Amino acid sequence: MEAEVISQLGAFCTTDGFKFSGANGQFTRHFPGGVQSIIISTTQYEHDVVAEIHLGIRLVRIENMIYNVTKGLKEFESNSHTILTSMGRLLGKRFHRYTCQNEADLFHAKVSIEEFMNDHGWYFLNQITDLSQLHGLFNTFSEYNNQLFYNDYIRAIKGLTIARLVDYKSYHELIGTYETLLERANYPESYRSSYDALTLFLENYSEN
């Protein structure tokens, strides 16, 4: 039933240029410099399927920079997203999931998801293709922005890279902000070493 849920709920994607990738409920649309993703995550239970929508983007330039410097940590494999967040978080909630047992449930979920995409989703996906807008999401520490991210380390390492590319005037202060964040989270030494390597690389980075 999972395949049917993904097919039904993902039908709206294909009308907007997205193509089913054939794995993990992911629909993708390429643009110059990256890929937009809509992911329909599903879990099969005995009598129903629970589905959740995630939206994200991969900017190849950013991911390649980070992957090279961090020596290929798992978070930065070739299919990583620069940002990936859930429908629930975009609505300011912990999660927003759909339980599908029958056609009526699927219909309700389809209508709800399409309304969400028209009101919020498409704007978000198009907004984050712009580097300056992405910088605002990562490096402005509002309550709403903070809850979009699942992992402070990934936010730090990508947020710094984006800030450097947009020539953020408070870049060095941002390094300190993220260092404090990582210290509080008590990440392993290997993560801190990768963070330090990236900050050193970015300090000397030049596009010329």
Side-chain angles (χ1 to χ4, degrees):
M1 187 178 177
E2 284 184 271
E4 177 64 16
V5 169
I6 292 170
S7 176
Q8 291 271 354
L9 299 188
F12 74 92
C13 300
T14 57
T15 63
D16 289 280
F18 281 78
K19 295 182 179 180
F20 184 50
S21 69
N24 303 319
Q26 185 170 3
F27 297 80
T28 58
R29 180 170 67 184
H30 290 259
F31 65 93
V35 184
Q36 295 169 309
S37 296
I38 299 172
I39 300 175
I40 303 173
S41 303
T42 56
T43 304
Q44 176 77 61
Y45 294 99
E46 185 177 359
H47 300 296
D48 52 43
V49 173
V50 175
E52 186 173 23
I53 308 302
H54 291 81
L55 305 181
I57 192 172
R58 172 181 172 81
L59 292 178
V60 175
R61 178 187 182 193
I62 293 171
E63 296 305 302
N64 286 348
M65 286 176 66
I66 293 172
Y67 187 83
N68 289 337
V69 176
T70 58
K71 309 298 183 186
L73 288 178
K74 181 176 176 57
E75 288 84 355
F76 308 112
E77 291 175 2
S78 61
N79 61 350
S80 65
H81 288 84
T82 305
I83 184 172
L84 182 71
T85 196
S86 69
M87 174 179 174
R89 289 177 183 245
L90 286 167
L91 292 173
K93 301 187 293 185
R94 186 177 177 185
F95 54 80
H96 188 95
R97 297 168 181 159
Y98 298 96
T99 300
C100 301
Q101 293 182 320
N102 50 47
E103 288 296 325
D105 292 338
L106 277 172
F107 178 78
H108 165 74
K110 286 168 62 177
V111 170
S112 175
I113 291 167
E114 289 180 18
E115 287 179 353
F116 161 75
M117 291 301 298
N118 289 332
D119 292 342
H120 304 282
W122 295 125
Y123 173 78
F124 175 75
L125 281 174
N126 292 326
Q127 175 192 31
I128 58 178
T129 62
D130 180 85
L131 202 58
S132 63
Q133 295 285 345
L134 200 58
H135 166 63
L137 280 177
F138 271 87
N139 298 321
T140 302
F141 296 88
S142 67
E143 183 177 353
Y144 178 77
N145 284 2
N146 292 346
Q147 58 88 40
L148 291 178
F149 297 93
Y150 295 95
N151 183 301
D152 288 333
Y153 171 71
I154 291 176
R155 181 184 188 180
I157 214 162
K158 297 190 180 188
L160 279 181
T161 303
I162 294 164
R164 186 70 178 84
L165 291 177
V166 300
D167 200 22
Y168 181 44
K169 64 180 181 180
S170 299
Y171 172 75
H172 290 95
E173 288 85 346
L174 188 63
I175 292 175
T177 299
Y178 279 127
E179 284 178 349
T180 300
L181 200 64
L182 296 180
E183 286 170 4
R184 288 175 182 169
N186 197 29
Y187 280 96
E189 181 59 32
S190 60
Y191 282 65
R192 183 53 194 259
S193 297
S194 293
Y195 175 83
D196 291 343
L198 182 69
T199 57
L200 180 63
F201 168 79
L202 293 174
E203 188 70 27
N204 299 291
Y205 176 77
S206 173
E207 297 192 70
N208 298 324

